[in-house]
Amino acid sequence: MVDQKVEEGGSSKWQSEANLSELLQQAHSCLAALGENYSRFGEEFSSLQQRLGEGRFHLAVLGQFKRGKSTLLNALLGEELLPTDILPVTAIPTFVHAGDKVSGEVYFNDNKEPQHFDISAESSLAAFLYDYVTEAGNPYNQRHVCRVEISHPSPLLQQGVVLIDTPGVGSTLKHNTEIAHQVLSQCDAALFLVSPDPPITVMELDYLQQIKEHLPRTFYLLNKVDFLSVEEQASSIRFLVDQLSRFYDAPPQVMPISARKGLRSRLAGDEEGWRQSGMQLVEQNLIDFFAREKQQTLLQALRRRGNDLLNSAIMQLQLSLKALKLPESELQLRMDQFRHSLPAIEREQQAAADVLAGDLKRVIKRLGEEVEAVRERAKQQILGQIETHLESVADVEQMEQLVQETVATQTEQFFAPAMNAVADVIRREATELLRLNQQRSDQLMEQVRQTAAELFEIPYHAPVAGKVYTSFEPPAWSYDLFTSDMDPLGQKLSRKLFSKKFRYRRTVKRLREESRKLVNQNVAQIDWALRKSLDKSFRQFGTELRDQLDKTIEATRKAMSIALQRSESHSATTAANEVRLQQTLQQLETVRQQMGTDS
Ligand SMILES: Nc1nc2c(ncn2[C@@H]2O[C@H](COP(=O)(O)OP(=O)(O)OP(=O)(O)O)[C@@H](O)[C@H]2O)c(=O)[nH]1
Ligand SMILES: [Mg+2]
């Protein structure tokens, strides 16, 4: 039995596993007795209690897309089980728990029977998983998978440890980001993965902030250090620790690893390689953590979740009670008031949409400036060099060849880095603007909930979950390099048709024009690719914000109409209802007081 000290309202007491379990049970029983409208809460309390009883501990691997999360899990399991790739892959949360042998179970959102998989000679679990958990095998989750459970005999999974592979956040595939945020509410601790290129981003720091609100314990790993020299590794770690320090009183530990090397060494049974990859230390730290702190962390995590749930259930009860006490006409009036508050919210939403459109224009203007700067540099560097050839070489064929070579090498050497540099500037700027827009929209949603709470004079607890952070990711370019076969007539034919002097003048003129055209085409390519992608991202983002707000308004409206239905029912039933709700409310408030908060 694990006991934990809980500070609460100045007094302190010891809260045990049995105590928390009892509180969750109480919350479950009193909400279950209220029927359908509260059954969701009842079920959630019950599942928290069950998890506590089983000591089922959810350790998730979290991070931005492509940091190497699935590779890390494969390394820990010692098997290439979870799909990995250079493109965004993991699309569905995958829970790996202990089992005698490897098997898999896919659960669906649409009440379809779960799909079971057992290893056989013909097929591997990895191939089976591909069709359900990857973006390529199950694009936009068209198979309606809600989660996948895998059994695995790894010793790390003993004593109720469950490892969770999650979709990466921040890619252009927004649904993956959303799923990753949703799964947070089921996690108790995290392995947070960053890698050196690019170093930790603003979006990742925002994500971490949210993770910190949900999870009592986070481990930090800097992956892919095989790319780095010893000095680079040291400075990358310093930078990361520095950035993470804002969340802690003392600088947190960061473990440098190469998940890929670790996996390879593990598969080859190379213990020294496993140690050098940094994975041995990670594994040891996890084993120590599970032995010493797992149960305590689970208690803390489940208590947080229990508190969140209690707050929502209590708000809904208070809303219903207020509504019951109000005469029907008064209730109708307040609902009307809520409805009347909506146009103002809609106006603000319109204003927010205008700001978003303005921001898009601003980024596009910035893109224009950056692109012009690239054009200028290209003119100086590439056209400057070509001009030198045109002025210094007398032989047209030699000139033609030199210019062609310059164009070919320069297009490659100049434009690839130029494109990346512009994309970097635009990514930073767009991501920051989208983040501010998200904040504005979050405030609007708060306003909707608060308006309802104020109308019914209910104390309001802001929910922690449900935010979606967005970043703009430039497209993965497959840019064509506009190299041309410069002489449309061909040297042979030209020689036949024209005099030497005329050929010279004609060639110089043509080469100059062609080179200019090539530079402009490449510059236009940068502009076009980024502009198209900015346009799409901002538009998609705007639609999502509208959806989120609509859903919030709808949920609030529903809570009020449930109340209205109740007040419309027979007055004797209403009186009985009121007593029942009042009793439940008191019971839940006592539970909340006893559950306390961790700090
Ligand atoms: N060089 C190097 N590459 C790695 C390492 N770990 C993973 N990778 C590579 O990084 C790419 C992405 O790895 P994944 O494991 O699919 O990354 P992920 O974070 O699960 O990606 P999503 O599921 O799409 O979010 C793959 O090509 C891996 O081989 C590492 O330690 N070093
Ligand atoms: Mg993955």
Side-chain angles (χ1 to χ4, degrees):
M1 175 99 24
V2 176
D3 285 348
Q4 184 169 16
K5 198 178 182 195
V6 177
E7 296 289 338
E8 183 215 307
S11 68
S12 70
K13 63 192 176 69
W14 292 92
Q15 188 169 69
S16 67
E17 187 182 314
N19 188 347
L20 179 60
S21 176
E22 171 61 28
L23 293 173
L24 293 170
Q25 171 62 40
Q26 281 175 21
H28 164 72
S29 326
C30 50
L31 284 162
L34 289 184
E36 203 187 331
N37 286 328
Y38 292 86
S39 60
R40 175 181 78 85
F41 293 114
E43 280 160 22
E44 289 194 37
F45 278 115
S46 165
S47 92
L48 292 186
Q49 194 197 4
Q50 193 180 351
R51 209 140 77 65
L52 181 64
E54 291 167 359
R56 189 174 148 112
F57 184 78
H58 286 174
L59 175 69
V61 187
L62 303 174
Q64 190 170 283
F65 67 109
K66 301 278 58 94
R67 293 298 202 180
K69 299 177 292 300
S70 305
T71 309
L72 171 81
L73 276 178
N74 285 340
L76 286 171
L77 296 168
E79 203 171 330
E80 280 186 280
L81 214 59
L82 301 157
T84 64
D85 194 9
I86 47 165
L87 294 176
V89 175
T90 311
I92 303 292
T94 308
F95 295 67
V96 191
H97 57 79
D100 298 341
K101 59 185 176 63
V102 177
S103 67
E105 198 84 23
V106 180
Y107 296 88
F108 299 91
N109 283 321
D110 50 7
N111 289 335
K112 217 165 82 183
E113 277 294 292
Q115 184 86 23
H116 182 75
F117 173 87
D118 265 324
I119 289 251
S120 67
E122 308 87 63
S123 61
S124 68
L125 180 61
F128 169 78
L129 287 177
Y130 182 87
D131 287 343
Y132 296 102
V133 307
T134 70
E135 197 50 50
N138 178 17
Y140 291 87
N141 193 15
Q142 61 195 15
R143 293 177 194 264
H144 305 289
V145 177
C146 72
R147 70 175 204 286
V148 173
E149 295 264 350
I150 295 178
S151 304
H152 195 276
S154 163
L156 202 60
L157 301 170
Q158 297 308 308
Q159 324 271 320
V161 171
V162 178
L163 298 175
I164 311 173
D165 190 17
T166 65
V169 301
S171 80
T172 41
L173 304 172
K174 300 261 176 62
H175 53 290
N176 287 349
T177 302
E178 272 173 38
I179 291 176
H181 284 287
Q182 283 159 12
V183 84
L184 260 189
S185 65
Q186 296 176 53
C187 305
D188 305 315
L191 292 165
F192 190 80
L193 234 67
V194 182
S195 57
D197 185 22
I200 192 161
T201 60
V202 174
M203 191 270 305
E204 285 176 300
L205 289 170
D206 277 346
Y207 184 33
L208 262 178
Q209 175 74 46
Q210 200 190 3
I211 290 172
K212 284 258 327 162
E213 280 167 25
H214 274 89
L215 309 182
R217 184 74 151 93
T218 309
F219 296 88
Y220 296 101
L221 309 179
L222 179 69
N223 190 27
K224 307 196 185 182
V225 295
D226 47 298
F227 277 136
L228 306 178
S229 67
V230 177
E231 296 79 34
E232 286 169 336
Q233 183 173 318
S235 63
S236 293
I237 296 232
R238 262 200 310 277
F239 179 76
L240 184 54
V241 170
D242 210 38
Q243 294 295 317
L244 296 175
S245 293
R246 70 179 71 183
F247 300 116
Y248 298 92
D249 297 335
Q253 186 193 6
V254 170
M255 290 178 268
I257 56 162
S258 168
R260 186 145 83 179
K261 266 193 175 171
L263 175 63
R264 283 190 192 146
S265 316
R266 191 127 204 207
L267 293 174
D270 168 11
E271 277 191 30
E272 181 53 22
W274 177 246
R275 193 187 63 74
Q276 281 178 7
S277 72
M279 286 302 301
Q280 189 189 52
L281 183 66
V282 173
E283 188 181 44
Q284 196 48 53
N285 278 353
L286 286 180
I287 292 169
D288 290 350
F289 168 75
F290 294 149
R292 294 207 196 108
E293 296 172 53
K294 178 188 132 228
Q295 202 60 9
Q296 214 176 32
T297 312
L298 182 64
L299 262 176
Q300 227 176 328
L302 294 181
R303 199 172 62 239
R304 274 190 201 191
R305 200 107 334 111
N307 259 314
D308 264 3
L309 266 180
L310 272 174
N311 285 339
S312 313
I314 286 174
M315 177 163 171
Q316 189 157 329
L317 270 172
Q318 284 167 330
L319 190 62
S320 301
L321 263 170
K322 285 277 173 185
L324 277 180
K325 286 191 182 130
L326 288 175
E328 197 190 316
S329 57
E330 179 66 23
L331 176 60
Q332 196 65 59
L333 188 76
R334 294 194 190 190
M335 281 182 73
D336 285 348
Q337 279 173 332
F338 177 70
R339 213 173 16 250
H340 287 140
S341 74
L342 292 180
I345 303 250
E346 261 165 36
R347 277 197 299 280
E348 281 185 51
Q349 191 185 21
Q350 187 52 51
D354 293 345
V355 172
L356 186 67
D359 283 347
L360 173 61
K361 279 199 191 129
R362 210 159 308 146
V363 195
I364 288 192
K365 183 163 170 272
R366 177 73 196 267
L367 173 63
E369 289 161 10
E370 293 292 319
V371 162
E372 279 320 304
V374 170
R375 195 191 312 276
E376 273 316 303
R377 274 193 296 123
K379 273 187 190 162
Q380 277 168 17
Q381 273 187 34
I382 307 177
L383 298 184
Q385 247 186 67
I386 289 174
E387 205 54 44
T388 317
H389 299 322
L390 298 182
E391 281 163 15
S392 61
V393 183
D395 177 69
V396 284
E397 268 146 56
Q398 198 192 349
M399 180 196 289
E400 180 98 39
Q401 197 188 348
L402 265 175
V403 169
Q404 289 232 16
E405 277 168 16
T406 308
V407 166
T409 52
Q410 284 292 318
T411 320
E412 185 94 48
Q413 281 171 9
F414 177 86
F415 280 107
M419 276 179 170
N420 287 337
V422 176
D424 248 18
V425 171
I426 297 304
R427 180 195 352 231
R428 269 200 299 276
E429 189 142 331
T431 300
E432 181 57 18
L433 288 173
L434 289 179
R435 201 168 65 87
L436 293 173
N437 278 285
Q438 175 77 59
Q439 273 173 10
R440 201 168 295 127
S441 161
D442 285 346
Q443 281 162 8
L444 261 179
M445 285 188 277
E446 277 297 282
Q447 206 178 321
V448 173
R449 295 193 197 102
Q450 266 173 18
T451 307
E454 274 163 24
L455 274 174
F456 288 85
E457 295 140 25
I458 291 167
Y460 179 65
H461 295 267
V464 234
K467 291 176 197 158
V468 178
Y469 292 101
T470 314
S471 71
F472 166 73
E473 285 303 320
W477 281 309
S478 62
Y479 44 90
D480 301 319
L481 295 175
F482 291 99
T483 50
S484 87
D485 176 15
M486 285 213 171
D487 190 346
L489 280 179
Q491 292 295 353
K492 258 193 188 155
L493 194 59
S494 299
R495 253 199 311 272
K496 234 191 218 169
L497 291 177
F498 307 122
S499 73
K500 198 173 170 192
K501 196 169 161 203
F502 182 78
R503 259 180 70 213
Y504 176 81
R505 281 219 309 276
R506 182 178 168 275
T507 309
V508 168
K509 183 165 177 276
R510 181 172 47 74
L511 286 177
R512 202 172 267 144
E513 277 169 10
E514 283 287 339
S515 322
R516 251 186 227 136
K517 202 167 109 197
L518 289 178
V519 164
N520 285 334
Q521 273 174 324
N522 271 298
V523 171
Q525 175 86 336
I526 299 183
D527 192 41
W528 181 81
L530 276 169
R531 195 180 284 244
K532 200 174 75 164
S533 157
L534 274 172
D535 216 58
K536 187 165 160 233
S537 291
F538 272 65
R539 208 160 351 101
Q540 215 176 21
F541 183 71
T543 316
E544 274 163 28
L545 293 191
R546 176 161 272 284
D547 272 7
Q548 283 175 10
L549 189 66
D550 286 351
K551 277 190 198 138
T552 309
I553 293 175
E554 204 34 55
T556 313
R557 236 190 222 141
K558 191 157 174 244
M560 286 193 265
S561 71
I562 289 172
L564 186 60
Q565 278 165 24
R566 281 172 181 264
S567 87
E568 275 167 352
S569 57
H570 192 266
S571 62
T573 331
T574 309
N577 254 342
E578 193 179 321
V579 173
R580 217 151 52 99
L581 291 181
Q582 193 62 52
Q583 278 171 351
T584 314
L585 182 62
Q586 273 164 9
Q587 285 163 343
L588 287 185
E589 274 169 348
T590 313
V591 172
R592 180 163 68 181
Q593 222 178 19
Q594 288 175 352
M595 191 142 12
T597 52
D598 62 88
S599 48

Coordinates of all heavy atoms in Angstrom, one line a residue, residues 98-143:
A98 N 1.7 -6.0 -21.0 CA 2.3 -7.3 -20.8 C 1.4 -8.5 -21.3 O 0.2 -8.4 -21.2 CB 2.6 -7.5 -19.3
G99 N 2.0 -9.5 -21.9 CA 1.3 -10.7 -22.3 C 2.3 -11.8 -22.5 O 3.5 -11.5 -22.7
D100 N 1.9 -13.0 -22.5 CA 2.8 -14.2 -22.7 C 3.4 -14.2 -24.1 O 4.5 -14.6 -24.3 CB 2.0 -15.5 -22.5 CG 1.5 -15.6 -21.1 OD1 2.0 -14.8 -20.2 OD2 0.5 -16.4 -20.9
K101 N 2.6 -13.8 -25.0 CA 3.1 -13.8 -26.4 C 2.6 -12.5 -27.1 O 1.7 -11.8 -26.6 CB 2.7 -15.0 -27.2 CG 1.2 -15.1 -27.3 CD 0.8 -16.5 -27.9 CE -0.7 -16.7 -28.0 NZ -1.5 -15.9 -28.7
V102 N 3.2 -12.3 -28.3 CA 2.8 -11.1 -29.0 C 1.5 -11.3 -29.7 O 1.2 -12.2 -30.4 CB 3.9 -10.7 -30.1 CG1 3.4 -9.5 -30.9 CG2 5.2 -10.5 -29.5
S103 N 0.5 -10.3 -29.4 CA -0.7 -10.4 -30.2 C -1.3 -8.9 -30.2 O -0.8 -8.0 -29.6 CB -1.7 -11.3 -29.5 OG -2.1 -10.7 -28.2
G104 N -2.3 -8.7 -31.0 CA -2.8 -7.4 -31.2 C -4.4 -7.4 -31.2 O -5.0 -8.4 -31.6
E105 N -4.9 -6.2 -30.8 CA -6.4 -6.1 -30.8 C -6.7 -4.6 -31.3 O -6.2 -3.7 -30.7 CB -6.9 -6.3 -29.4 CG -8.3 -6.6 -29.2 CD -8.6 -8.1 -29.4 OE1 -7.7 -8.9 -29.2 OE2 -9.8 -8.4 -29.8
V106 N -7.5 -4.5 -32.3 CA -7.9 -3.2 -32.8 C -9.3 -2.8 -32.4 O -10.2 -3.6 -32.7 CB -7.7 -3.1 -34.3 CG1 -8.1 -1.7 -34.9 CG2 -6.4 -3.5 -34.8
Y107 N -9.5 -1.7 -31.8 CA -10.8 -1.3 -31.4 C -11.3 -0.1 -32.2 O -10.5 0.7 -32.6 CB -10.8 -0.8 -29.9 CG -10.5 -1.9 -28.9 CD1 -9.2 -2.2 -28.6 CD2 -11.5 -2.8 -28.4 CE1 -8.8 -3.3 -27.8 CE2 -11.2 -3.8 -27.5 CZ -9.8 -4.1 -27.2 OH -9.5 -5.1 -26.4
F108 N -12.6 -0.2 -32.5 CA -13.2 0.8 -33.5 C -14.2 1.8 -32.8 O -14.8 1.4 -31.8 CB -13.9 0.1 -34.6 CG -13.0 -0.8 -35.4 CD1 -12.8 -2.1 -35.1 CD2 -12.2 -0.3 -36.5 CE1 -12.0 -2.9 -35.8 CE2 -11.4 -1.1 -37.2 CZ -11.2 -2.4 -36.8
N109 N -14.3 2.9 -33.4 CA -15.3 3.9 -32.9 C -16.7 3.6 -33.2 O -17.6 4.0 -32.5 CB -15.0 5.3 -33.5 CG -13.8 6.0 -32.9 OD1 -13.6 5.9 -31.7 ND2 -13.0 6.6 -33.7
D110 N -16.9 2.8 -34.3 CA -18.3 2.7 -34.8 C -18.9 1.3 -34.4 O -19.6 0.7 -35.2 CB -18.3 2.8 -36.3 CG -17.2 2.0 -37.0 OD1 -16.6 1.2 -36.3 OD2 -17.0 2.1 -38.2
N111 N -18.6 0.9 -33.2 CA -19.2 -0.3 -32.6 C -18.9 -1.6 -33.4 O -19.6 -2.6 -33.2 CB -20.8 -0.2 -32.6 CG -21.2 0.8 -31.5 OD1 -20.4 1.0 -30.5 ND2 -22.3 1.4 -31.6
K112 N -17.9 -1.5 -34.3 CA -17.6 -2.7 -35.0 C -16.8 -3.7 -34.1 O -16.2 -3.2 -33.1 CB -16.6 -2.3 -36.2 CG -16.9 -3.1 -37.4 CD -16.2 -2.5 -38.6 CE -14.8 -2.9 -38.7 NZ -14.1 -2.2 -39.8
E113 N -17.0 -5.0 -34.3 CA -16.3 -5.9 -33.5 C -14.8 -5.7 -33.5 O -14.2 -5.4 -34.6 CB -16.5 -7.3 -34.1 CG -17.8 -8.0 -33.6 CD -17.8 -8.3 -32.1 OE1 -17.1 -9.1 -31.7 OE2 -18.6 -7.6 -31.4
P114 N -14.1 -5.8 -32.4 CA -12.6 -5.6 -32.4 C -12.0 -6.6 -33.3 O -12.5 -7.8 -33.5 CB -12.2 -5.8 -31.0 CG -13.4 -5.6 -30.2 CD -14.6 -5.9 -31.0
Q115 N -10.9 -6.2 -33.9 CA -10.1 -7.1 -34.8 C -9.0 -7.7 -34.1 O -8.1 -7.0 -33.5 CB -9.7 -6.2 -36.0 CG -9.0 -6.9 -37.1 CD -10.0 -7.5 -38.1 OE1 -11.1 -7.0 -38.2 NE2 -9.6 -8.5 -38.9
H116 N -8.8 -9.0 -34.1 CA -7.8 -9.7 -33.3 C -6.7 -10.2 -34.2 O -6.9 -10.6 -35.3 CB -8.4 -10.8 -32.5 CG -7.4 -11.5 -31.6 ND1 -6.9 -10.9 -30.5 CD2 -6.7 -12.7 -31.8 CE1 -6.0 -11.7 -29.9 NE2 -5.8 -12.8 -30.7
F117 N -5.5 -10.1 -33.7 CA -4.3 -10.7 -34.5 C -3.5 -11.6 -33.6 O -3.1 -11.2 -32.5 CB -3.5 -9.5 -35.0 CG -2.2 -10.0 -35.7 CD1 -2.2 -10.3 -37.0 CD2 -1.0 -10.1 -34.9 CE1 -1.1 -10.8 -37.6 CE2 0.1 -10.6 -35.5 CZ 0.1 -11.0 -36.9
D118 N -3.2 -12.8 -34.1 CA -2.2 -13.6 -33.5 C -1.1 -13.9 -34.4 O -1.3 -14.0 -35.6 CB -2.9 -15.0 -33.1 CG -3.3 -15.0 -31.7 OD1 -2.7 -14.4 -30.9 OD2 -4.4 -15.6 -31.5
I119 N 0.1 -13.9 -33.9 CA 1.3 -14.2 -34.8 C 1.2 -15.5 -35.5 O 0.8 -16.5 -34.9 CB 2.6 -14.2 -33.9 CG1 2.9 -12.8 -33.4 CG2 3.7 -14.9 -34.7 CD1 4.0 -12.2 -34.1
S120 N 1.5 -15.6 -36.8 CA 1.5 -16.8 -37.5 C 2.7 -16.8 -38.4 O 3.4 -15.8 -38.5 CB 0.3 -17.0 -38.3 OG 0.3 -16.1 -39.3
A121 N 3.0 -18.0 -39.0 CA 4.2 -18.0 -39.8 C 4.1 -17.1 -41.0 O 5.1 -16.5 -41.4 CB 4.4 -19.5 -40.3
E122 N 2.9 -16.9 -41.5 CA 2.7 -16.0 -42.7 C 2.8 -14.5 -42.5 O 3.2 -13.8 -43.3 CB 1.4 -16.3 -43.5 CG 1.1 -17.7 -43.8 CD 0.4 -18.4 -42.6 OE1 -0.7 -17.9 -42.3 OE2 0.9 -19.3 -42.0
S123 N 2.3 -14.1 -41.3 CA 2.2 -12.6 -41.2 C 2.8 -12.1 -39.9 O 2.8 -12.9 -38.9 CB 0.8 -12.2 -41.3 OG 0.1 -12.8 -40.2
S124 N 3.3 -10.9 -39.9 CA 3.9 -10.3 -38.7 C 2.9 -9.3 -38.2 O 2.1 -8.8 -38.9 CB 5.2 -9.6 -39.1 OG 4.9 -8.5 -39.9
L125 N 3.1 -9.0 -36.9 CA 2.2 -8.0 -36.2 C 2.5 -6.6 -36.9 O 1.5 -5.8 -37.1 CB 2.5 -7.9 -34.7 CG 1.7 -6.9 -34.0 CD1 0.2 -7.2 -34.1 CD2 2.1 -6.8 -32.5
A126 N 3.7 -6.4 -37.3 CA 4.1 -5.1 -37.9 C 3.2 -4.9 -39.1 O 2.7 -3.8 -39.4 CB 5.6 -5.0 -38.2
A127 N 3.1 -5.9 -39.9 CA 2.3 -5.8 -41.2 C 0.8 -5.6 -40.9 O 0.2 -4.8 -41.5 CB 2.5 -7.1 -42.0
F128 N 0.4 -6.3 -39.9 CA -1.0 -6.1 -39.4 C -1.3 -4.7 -39.0 O -2.2 -4.0 -39.4 CB -1.3 -7.1 -38.3 CG -2.6 -6.9 -37.6 CD1 -3.8 -7.3 -38.1 CD2 -2.6 -6.3 -36.3 CE1 -5.0 -7.2 -37.5 CE2 -3.8 -6.1 -35.6 CZ -5.0 -6.6 -36.2
L129 N -0.3 -4.2 -38.1 CA -0.5 -2.8 -37.6 C -0.5 -1.7 -38.7 O -1.3 -0.8 -38.6 CB 0.6 -2.5 -36.6 CG 0.6 -3.2 -35.3 CD1 1.8 -2.8 -34.4 CD2 -0.7 -2.8 -34.5
Y130 N 0.3 -2.0 -39.7 CA 0.4 -1.0 -40.8 C -0.9 -0.5 -41.3 O -1.2 0.6 -41.5 CB 1.3 -1.6 -41.9 CG 1.5 -0.6 -43.0 CD1 2.6 0.2 -43.0 CD2 0.6 -0.6 -44.1 CE1 2.8 1.1 -44.0 CE2 0.8 0.3 -45.1 CZ 1.9 1.2 -45.1 OH 2.1 2.1 -46.1
D131 N -1.9 -1.5 -41.4 CA -3.2 -1.2 -42.0 C -4.1 -0.4 -41.1 O -5.1 0.2 -41.5 CB -3.9 -2.5 -42.4 CG -3.3 -3.1 -43.6 OD1 -2.6 -2.5 -44.3 OD2 -3.6 -4.4 -43.8
Y132 N -3.7 -0.4 -39.8 CA -4.6 0.3 -38.9 C -4.0 1.6 -38.2 O -4.7 2.5 -38.0 CB -5.1 -0.7 -37.7 CG -5.9 -1.8 -38.3 CD1 -5.3 -3.1 -38.4 CD2 -7.2 -1.6 -38.6 CE1 -6.1 -4.1 -38.9 CE2 -8.0 -2.6 -39.1 CZ -7.4 -3.9 -39.3 OH -8.1 -4.9 -39.8
V133 N -2.7 1.5 -37.9 CA -2.2 2.7 -37.2 C -1.4 3.7 -38.0 O -1.0 4.7 -37.5 CB -1.3 2.2 -35.9 CG1 -2.1 1.2 -35.1 CG2 0.0 1.7 -36.4
T134 N -1.2 3.4 -39.3 CA -0.4 4.3 -40.0 C -1.2 5.2 -40.9 O -2.3 4.9 -41.3 CB 0.7 3.6 -40.9 OG1 0.0 3.0 -42.0 CG2 1.5 2.6 -40.1
E135 N -0.6 6.4 -41.2 CA -1.3 7.4 -42.0 C -1.4 6.8 -43.4 O -2.4 7.0 -44.1 CB -0.5 8.6 -42.0 CG -1.2 9.9 -42.5 CD -2.5 10.1 -41.8 OE1 -2.6 10.1 -40.6 OE2 -3.5 10.3 -42.6
A136 N -0.5 6.0 -43.9 CA -0.5 5.5 -45.2 C -1.6 4.3 -45.3 O -2.3 4.3 -46.3 CB 0.8 5.0 -45.6
G137 N -1.6 3.5 -44.3 CA -2.5 2.3 -44.3 C -3.9 2.7 -44.0 O -4.9 2.0 -44.4
N138 N -4.1 3.8 -43.2 CA -5.4 4.2 -42.7 C -5.5 5.7 -42.8 O -5.6 6.3 -41.8 CB -5.5 3.6 -41.3 CG -6.8 4.0 -40.6 OD1 -7.8 4.4 -41.3 ND2 -6.9 3.9 -39.3
P139 N -5.5 6.2 -44.0 CA -5.4 7.7 -44.1 C -6.6 8.4 -43.5 O -7.7 7.9 -43.7 CB -5.3 8.0 -45.6 CG -5.6 6.7 -46.3 CD -5.5 5.6 -45.3
Y140 N -6.3 9.5 -42.8 CA -7.4 10.2 -42.1 C -8.3 9.3 -41.3 O -9.5 9.6 -41.1 CB -8.2 11.1 -43.1 CG -7.4 12.2 -43.7 CD1 -6.6 12.0 -44.8 CD2 -7.3 13.4 -43.0 CE1 -5.7 13.0 -45.3 CE2 -6.5 14.4 -43.5 CZ -5.7 14.2 -44.6 OH -4.9 15.2 -45.1
N141 N -7.8 8.2 -40.8 CA -8.5 7.2 -40.0 C -9.8 6.8 -40.6 O -10.8 6.8 -39.9 CB -8.7 7.8 -38.5 CG -9.1 6.7 -37.6 OD1 -9.0 5.5 -37.9 ND2 -9.6 7.1 -36.4
Q142 N -9.8 6.5 -41.9 CA -11.0 6.1 -42.5 C -11.6 4.8 -42.0 O -12.7 4.5 -42.3 CB -10.8 6.1 -44.0 CG -9.8 5.2 -44.5 CD -9.4 5.5 -46.0 OE1 -9.7 6.5 -46.5 NE2 -8.8 4.5 -46.6
R143 N -10.7 4.0 -41.3 CA -11.2 2.8 -40.8 C -11.9 3.0 -39.4 O -12.2 2.0 -38.7 CB -10.1 1.8 -40.6 CG -9.5 1.3 -41.9 CD -8.4 0.4 -41.7 NE -7.6 0.1 -42.8 CZ -7.8 -0.9 -43.6 NH1 -8.7 -1.8 -43.4 NH2 -7.0 -1.0 -44.7

